[in-house]
Amino acid sequence: MALITPEETITRAFTNANMDTHLIKPTFIEIAELNHVRPFLGEDLYNSCVQGSYVTLVNDYIKDYLAFCVKFEVLPDITYNTTSQGVVENLADFTNPVSEKKLNYLRQETYKKADTFKKKMHLYLDDNTALYPDWSGCGGCSKCSSGSSVSKRHGIITY
């Protein structure tokens, strides 16, 4: 069971409320959960959330983070479409496609927003460890690591 719906994703992370929910496939939500949420929460806490054990954590923290993670994952597919003719840009009347550089900028900004919600969730979990016995820390994120300023974003290691 997914932790967020396409409709909730659009409401929380997209500026255009008329975004087509069919563009946010369940597989994109699953990819975002597997790539971002599950590694952060850990297997036990993630499974408890999926089973519905922690409604406050899911509704007030995870969904905000996950919505931007889904947006991050779906942006390239919204911009480009794979057809029998090959990969094409999705264009409507009176629109201009963005360059790859601008798309990457938008993805980075989306990722930064997701990271803000991740930090908020991290603080909440650390402040409420008695409520979440499955929380064992984030598994080495920059907040938990001892003085290390090394991070990895989209395959690029920064210091």
Side-chain angles (χ1 to χ4, degrees):
M1 182 179 105
L3 295 172
I4 196 168
T5 66
E7 294 81 10
E8 289 173 309
T9 300
I10 291 168
T11 299
R12 292 173 186 262
F14 285 81
T15 54
N16 183 353
N18 295 321
M19 175 78 180
D20 186 355
T21 57
H22 292 94
L23 294 173
I24 302 174
K25 305 280 185 221
T27 51
F28 284 114
I29 294 172
E30 182 179 11
I31 287 167
E33 287 185 17
L34 295 174
N35 284 342
H36 304 281
V37 177
R38 187 171 69 176
F40 175 75
L41 294 177
E43 196 73 30
D44 293 337
L45 183 54
Y46 173 78
N47 287 335
S48 294
C49 290
V50 169
Q51 294 167 3
S53 298
Y54 298 121
V55 176
T56 299
L57 176 61
V58 172
N59 289 337
D60 296 347
Y61 296 90
I62 292 175
K63 285 186 180 187
D64 286 334
Y65 173 54
L66 183 55
F68 282 94
C69 292
V70 171
K71 182 177 179 180
F72 173 81
E73 297 292 350
V74 81
L75 276 172
D77 206 66
I78 291 172
T79 306
Y80 303 107
N81 193 8
T82 305
T83 70
S84 58
Q85 306 299 314
V87 178
V88 297
E89 291 180 324
N90 288 328
L91 298 174
D93 294 340
F94 310 111
T95 62
N96 293 316
V98 298
S99 66
E100 186 174 335
K101 182 178 179 180
K102 289 180 181 177
L103 175 60
N104 286 334
Y105 172 77
L106 178 59
R107 287 190 83 215
Q108 288 291 343
E109 289 301 307
T110 301
Y111 190 84
K112 284 177 15 183
K113 289 171 179 64
D115 197 50
T116 299
F117 284 116
K118 181 180 178 182
K119 289 173 186 171
K120 178 183 174 186
M121 178 173 44
H122 195 169
L123 289 171
Y124 172 76
L125 286 166
D126 284 350
D127 289 345
N128 294 281
T129 55
L131 295 175
Y132 304 102
D134 294 333
W135 172 247
S136 58
C138 64
C141 70
S142 60
K143 184 179 181 292
C144 293
S145 58
S146 56
S148 174
S149 62
V150 178
S151 65
K152 180 180 175 187
R153 286 195 179 179
H154 320 300
I156 299 171
I157 298 173
T158 58
Y159 299 92

